[in-house]
Amino acid sequence: MAYEKVNELNLKDTELRLGLPGTEQVKEEQDVSCVRSNKRQLQSDNEEESTTPPTKTQIVGWPPVRSYRKNNNNNNNNNNNNNNNNSVSYVKVSMDGAPYLRKIDLKTYKNYPELLKALENMFKFTIGEYCEREGYKGSEVVPTYEDKDGDWMLVGDVPWDMFSSSCKRLRIMKGSDALALDSAL
Amino acid sequence: MDLRLPSKVLEHIFSFVDSNEDRNSVSLVCKSWFETERLTRKRVFVRNCYAVTPAAVARRFPGMRSLTLKGKPHFADYNLVPDGWGGYAWPWIEAMAEKSPSLEELRLKRMVVTDECLEKIAASFKDFKVLVLTSCEGFSTDGLAAIAVACRNLTELELRECIVEDLGGDWLSYFPETLTSLVSLDFSCLDSEVKLSDLERLVSRSPNLKSLKLNRAVSLHALGSLLCLAPQLVELGTGSFSDKLDQEAVSKLAQVFTELKELKSLSGLWDVLPEYIPLLYSVCPGLTSLNLSYATVQMPDLVELLSRCSNLQKLWVMDLIEDKGLEVVASSCKELRELRVFPSGADVDETNVALTEQGLVYVSEACPNLESVLYFCAQFTNAALVTIAKNRPNLKCFRLCVIEPFASDHETHQPLDEGFKAIVESCKDLQRLSVSGLLTDKAFEHIGRHGKKLKMLSIAFAGDSDLMLHHLLSGCESLNKLEIRDCPFGDTALLENAAKLETMRSLWMSSCGVSFGACKLLSEKMPKLNVEVIDEHSPETRPDSSPVEKIYIYRTVAGPRMDMPEFVWTKHKNPEIGVSHLAIE
């Protein structure tokens, strides 16, 4: 029943505004009360998001989709991701700087080059060559993925079959994040 | 000379008056018309179960055969109404069992229905025929068994998106062998597997069965044998469409689908594998209604399917259809009347970027009968809204949900005021509107000025000030239901337009700036309204200036309700103690 203060703080950081600039004074207070979370938050989403890059604050009852329908969507996603005997295996793909996620079916690709080409086309970037020792050196973007254990790995490190059966979601990192990951390798 | 028509003649005339809107008008003419009308009304609609008492309804309409009730406010669908708020079916069922035992049909929406309720129905109404529960909760499959076993003349049992405590699939086995009257069965929202042999026998002995909606647990294989037994189906909701079938089974299934000559409506299709979509091609030309909103079908497969649906009038689909898919819908489905596009992602962040405003523009251009739209989309523009408004002045229902709160026109970065202005100006018969995106008070000025036929309006994260509410309450003459969340208005507009609230069915406001003091004042001023303050986090004592979490205001002749939980305050409660002296434990 308690207010989740943590999310209030996050909210101020993301600076959601009501109305146009110049009418800020009253709005600040409204922001906090308006976009707050309570116990009705989707629990599964909370757990999922805790290890990934910061996402927007969960808003209760938004988007206005009936919980019956939301649960069905979640079931669809879970079934598809966990059951490798299904002939589809959808994973979410996010790219830093792009406001929206995409979904791809990993089973439609047979190897890394095919996958990377598809990602390049989808997000309009070019990626350098992967080499085992140096990762994606020289490239602006670094494709990473979250595996079954929740760890973030570099795409290409493990054999394709192992990757396609353990990959839960993809994230294409850009810029300084990419460099940091590269140098850590 | 006595000019009054004898009541027998009036009765006969009124038997031709079907719509309840007309019947309500008829009942206002004079006392004798009121009397005759009430004695002859068979179908009663109570759109807010707290607006009137069950006893009053039973008393007024002794000939009632069909009762339709709605309980919780619409925003309950999005988890904004706390559990335990109310909407209980029991008092109604209890009252009707005593006073209207000839009741044959019960349709409930957003109500709490317990097993006790279902058992009472089964025991009390000898000629019970129709039970339709939409978005209800509180019962288990045991309650369904009670209905199945006792209602000998049952024709319709439909559970639409209910939350049911699923204790197993046995309930279906309780339909007696003597039950042969079934016309419609919908158990799509249940989880457990029912016994296939019982289902097959039920279907075989139901020659009038027109509508069958299975749950996900019914396999594709089972579907084949069921359809063999019911080729006369007009509406079909499949179960899971994903078993691995061998070639022989697939061709048998294909054959069975070609036998469904009467099929008009198709839904379900959970987990449908792309290779099975061609199985549906044979029924496509006959379909008027297609619900793919639970089927994760990708755009290319959707295109194949929809290009064959030339008679489609109603399409529900996920945003996986993308703009390209909607372009195909536009060119193939010229009879389209209703389009709903749902988000495939589970939260704000996951949005299919290949579905944009352009998809809806295509459909609005090419489908002349399009009158109802529900569209979830990541982004929109004023230009697109203006185009849609120009293309489709015949729109009756327009619900746009731009998923990002406060999202401006993604090309001009302006608010979407101008776009929605075009919609309300052009669509003169618009009855239902949901707005979204960045909107200033100006948008609501336009809606107030032009939305004269608007009955229901839904607003979230919009506006700047009290003006927004003032424009709506003073301008929208036909306004019946208004629901608002997270908008920055305060007390003034609400109090100034208090009289308007008696002409409306209900007003919902949550996370706005209305104070407790204003709620108290409104309650005092307007005795014909129930002003409910819903606040799960309220402190022991509440100062007048403190903003309230949620307010639900509705007109009523029933007075204060007896079943309010702790977290609902009305003026009948002592604010200090927080417990109503009228509440029954």
Side-chain angles (χ1 to χ4, degrees):
Chain A
M1 285 268 264
Y3 237 120
E4 293 202 23
K5 294 255 162 62
V6 172
N7 283 327
E8 276 186 70
L9 291 174
N10 282 347
L11 174 55
K12 286 208 152 80
D13 289 342
T14 59
E15 269 194 295
L16 287 167
R17 295 199 174 283
L18 294 158
L20 303 171
T23 51
E24 280 165 44
Q25 226 259 322
V26 179
K27 304 302 172 286
E28 287 264 1
E29 288 153 28
Q30 302 291 12
D31 284 346
V32 174
S33 65
C34 288
V35 193
R36 70 187 179 200
S37 49
N38 64 23
K39 64 180 175 180
R40 290 209 185 286
Q41 235 169 309
L42 294 169
Q43 294 304 318
S44 56
D45 278 354
N46 262 344
E47 282 145 31
E48 207 177 82
E49 303 298 359
S50 58
T51 54
T52 62
T55 54
K56 297 198 166 55
T57 313
Q58 299 289 343
I59 305 173
V60 175
W62 192 264
V65 175
R66 287 156 96 167
S67 17
Y68 178 84
R69 190 174 286 283
K70 265 191 188 156
N71 291 341
N72 261 290
N73 273 349
N74 279 337
N75 285 340
N76 278 340
N77 294 338
N78 290 339
N79 285 342
N80 288 332
N81 284 340
N82 296 338
N83 185 353
N84 296 311
N85 294 326
N86 267 354
S87 75
V88 289
S89 175
Y90 291 116
V91 296
K92 301 174 203 170
V93 187
S94 64
M95 171 148 137
D96 292 352
Y100 313 109
L101 301 188
R102 299 298 303 268
K103 270 206 181 92
I104 58 169
D105 177 4
L106 278 187
K107 292 229 155 71
T108 59
Y109 309 106
K110 296 194 203 50
N111 51 46
Y112 283 120
E114 273 186 30
L115 172 66
L116 293 173
K117 186 122 198 90
L119 292 176
E120 283 183 336
N121 284 339
M122 198 178 265
F123 288 97
K124 313 273 181 283
F125 62 82
T126 38
I127 198 164
E129 274 213 42
Y130 170 84
C131 76
E132 204 168 314
R133 194 156 51 90
E134 293 180 330
Y136 292 91
K137 194 174 175 64
S139 144
E140 285 176 353
V141 295
V142 177
T144 63
Y145 72 100
E146 185 185 19
D147 72 1
K148 272 206 274 261
D149 302 322
D151 297 322
W152 284 88
M153 317 268 286
L154 192 66
V155 169
D157 275 349
V158 300
W160 171 259
D161 286 331
M162 192 184 293
F163 161 75
S164 70
S165 61
S166 67
C167 171
K168 268 173 48 184
R169 61 152 73 191
L170 284 156
R171 177 186 165 197
I172 301 168
M173 296 170 77
K174 256 171 107 162
S176 54
D177 287 335
L179 291 175
L181 191 62
D182 253 1
S183 59
L185 299 167
Chain B
M1 186 160 65
D2 189 344
L3 293 172
R4 274 180 309 172
L5 290 169
S7 54
K8 280 285 171 232
V9 175
L10 275 182
E11 263 179 49
H12 185 69
I13 296 172
F14 291 170
S15 67
F16 296 103
V17 182
D18 255 348
S19 98
N20 271 13
E21 217 180 312
D22 290 340
R23 278 188 163 263
N24 288 343
S25 307
V26 157
S27 66
L28 293 173
V29 167
C30 65
K31 276 212 176 104
S32 82
W33 281 42
F34 178 88
E35 274 303 299
T36 309
E37 194 284 313
R38 77 177 187 89
L39 293 171
T40 56
R41 191 183 299 207
K42 299 260 180 297
R43 290 177 310 156
V44 178
F45 291 77
V46 179
R47 290 185 170 86
N48 174 2
C49 66
Y50 290 122
V52 64
T53 63
V57 173
R59 213 169 30 239
R60 182 173 167 187
F61 301 112
M64 173 172 32
R65 292 284 177 274
S66 156
L67 177 61
T68 304
L69 289 170
K70 291 190 185 179
K72 300 185 200 177
H74 173 236
F75 272 0
D77 283 355
Y78 316 130
N79 290 341
L80 290 178
V81 177
D83 282 342
W85 171 83
Y88 303 106
W90 176 256
W92 288 88
I93 294 169
E94 194 185 32
M96 297 312 146
E98 194 194 316
K99 307 217 170 79
S100 295
S102 308
L103 192 69
E104 295 175 5
E105 305 181 4
L106 197 54
R107 293 175 174 83
L108 306 177
K109 186 167 184 180
R110 281 190 215 103
M111 295 193 78
V112 177
V113 179
T114 58
D115 284 345
E116 213 185 359
C117 292
L118 296 175
E119 284 153 19
K120 185 81 169 164
I121 292 170
S124 314
F125 305 115
K126 292 302 159 215
D127 209 14
F128 199 70
K129 296 194 166 72
V130 171
L131 183 64
V132 178
L133 303 176
T134 307
S135 302
C136 293
E137 41 158 11
F139 60 101
S140 77
T141 43
D142 283 352
L144 297 177
I147 296 282
V149 82
C151 301
R152 322 228 136 206
N153 296 312
L154 197 68
T155 59
E156 291 177 37
L157 177 60
E158 294 180 21
L159 308 171
R160 301 179 188 169
E161 300 192 348
C162 295
I163 313 255
V164 183
E165 190 190 345
D166 200 323
L167 303 170
D170 292 340
W171 63 274
L172 189 90
S173 314
Y174 282 83
F175 283 112
E177 291 298 319
T178 49
L179 182 79
T180 55
S181 46
L182 215 52
V183 173
S184 169
L185 179 63
D186 178 353
F187 60 97
S188 52
C189 63
L190 299 182
D191 286 326
S192 292
E193 206 175 319
V194 298
K195 207 151 151 216
L196 182 61
S197 53
D198 286 336
L199 183 55
E200 283 176 344
R201 277 208 306 280
L202 180 61
V203 169
S204 319
R205 64 175 186 275
S206 305
N208 297 325
L209 192 67
K210 294 275 183 291
S211 173
L212 180 63
K213 295 185 183 167
L214 308 166
N215 67 353
R216 200 174 191 167
V218 176
S219 68
L220 192 53
H221 201 264
L223 178 68
S225 45
L226 285 166
L227 292 181
C228 279
L229 299 168
Q232 77 281 8
L233 283 179
V234 175
E235 295 182 348
L236 171 65
T238 73
S240 172
F241 223 83
S242 66
D243 300 343
K244 285 290 184 192
L245 299 178
D246 59 41
Q247 195 45 49
E248 196 194 325
V250 171
S251 26
K252 260 206 190 137
L253 196 54
Q255 179 59 30
V256 145
F257 267 98
T258 61
E259 305 291 330
L260 299 175
K261 306 271 188 238
E262 310 292 325
L263 199 70
K264 295 244 174 307
S265 163
L266 183 62
S267 58
L269 299 167
W270 280 289
D271 317 310
V272 58
L273 300 179
E275 59 255 39
Y276 291 149
I277 292 181
L279 288 171
L280 305 171
Y281 290 169
S282 57
V283 296
C284 286
L287 288 181
T288 55
S289 167
L290 181 55
N291 183 352
L292 295 166
S293 61
Y294 293 107
T296 39
V297 186
Q298 299 298 312
M299 186 270 291
D301 298 312
L302 283 172
V303 162
E304 280 299 321
L305 196 60
L306 292 166
S307 56
R308 292 171 159 83
C309 297
S310 51
N311 285 311
L312 207 59
Q313 294 175 16
K314 175 169 135 176
L315 175 63
W316 290 20
V317 72
M318 287 205 263
D319 57 11
L320 302 168
I321 192 170
E322 302 183 358
D323 288 345
K324 275 220 184 82
L326 287 176
E327 201 177 356
V328 170
V329 169
S331 62
S332 309
C333 310
K334 294 296 186 197
E335 303 297 321
L336 199 67
R337 293 190 191 164
E338 178 180 327
L339 174 67
R340 294 197 189 188
V341 180
F342 295 96
S344 52
D347 57 46
V348 182
D349 278 333
E350 301 175 34
T351 326
N352 191 335
V353 71
L355 180 93
T356 72
E357 69 274 8
Q358 189 53 44
L360 188 54
V361 170
Y362 288 140
V363 178
S364 72
E365 258 161 16
C367 301
N369 297 328
L370 186 71
E371 52 179 35
S372 175
V373 171
L374 170 62
Y375 202 77
F376 284 82
C377 188
Q379 60 184 24
F380 231 82
T381 62
N382 282 309
L385 282 168
V386 168
T387 307
I388 292 165
K390 193 171 56 115
N391 289 337
R392 289 280 64 78
N394 51 321
L395 282 173
K396 294 222 171 61
C397 167
F398 187 73
R399 297 161 70 188
L400 175 64
C401 181
V402 180
I403 298 185
E404 177 81 35
F406 317 116
S408 57
D409 178 323
H410 71 89
E411 278 167 7
T412 64
H413 305 295
Q414 294 299 303
L416 292 179
D417 298 347
E418 286 303 306
F420 280 106
K421 175 186 181 198
I423 294 280
V424 288
E425 256 184 337
S426 166
C427 307
K428 304 219 188 304
D429 290 327
L430 195 67
Q431 292 181 5
R432 184 168 178 184
L433 177 65
S434 300
V435 297
S436 55
L438 182 65
L439 295 166
T440 72
D441 287 343
K442 266 235 159 287
F444 301 99
E445 189 188 330
H446 301 314
I447 296 173
R449 180 173 308 128
H450 298 286
K452 294 306 180 190
K453 297 265 174 75
L454 213 50
K455 286 190 182 163
M456 182 170 176
L457 183 54
S458 310
I459 307 170
F461 306 108
D464 310 310
S465 73
D466 271 77
L467 270 181
M468 109 182 232
L469 186 61
H470 177 72
H471 288 313
L472 295 174
L473 293 179
S474 58
C476 298
E477 289 161 6
S478 312
L479 198 59
N480 195 17
K481 284 202 289 190
L482 178 58
E483 46 186 24
I484 310 178
R485 63 165 295 180
D486 295 89
C487 294
F489 59 82
D491 300 336
T492 320
L494 186 62
L495 292 172
E496 271 176 9
N497 291 284
K500 173 76 175 172
L501 300 179
E502 273 180 9
T503 70
M504 293 166 54
R505 188 183 310 158
S506 66
L507 168 61
W508 169 279
M509 296 176 291
S510 56
S511 303
C512 301
V514 180
S515 73
F516 185 56
C519 295
K520 286 202 290 189
L521 191 54
L522 195 62
S523 302
E524 290 308 315
K525 272 173 74 172
M526 313 294 298
K528 291 190 200 154
L529 301 177
N530 272 358
V531 177
E532 292 190 11
V533 174
I534 301 164
D535 211 330
E536 286 181 287
H537 301 110
S538 77
E540 279 295 311
T541 55
R542 208 202 310 249
D544 280 5
S545 58
S546 63
V548 297
E549 238 179 53
K550 299 167 186 176
I551 312 166
Y552 185 46
I553 302 172
Y554 51 92
R555 67 181 170 201
T556 179
V557 295
R561 56 182 177 108
M562 300 300 192
D563 57 5
M564 282 181 282
E566 279 270 309
F567 55 80
V568 172
W569 174 94
T570 64
K571 71 176 178 207
H572 309 282
K573 287 192 180 184
N574 183 332
E576 270 67 64
I577 300 171
V579 172
S580 168
H581 64 283
L582 291 173
I584 296 169
E585 292 306 318

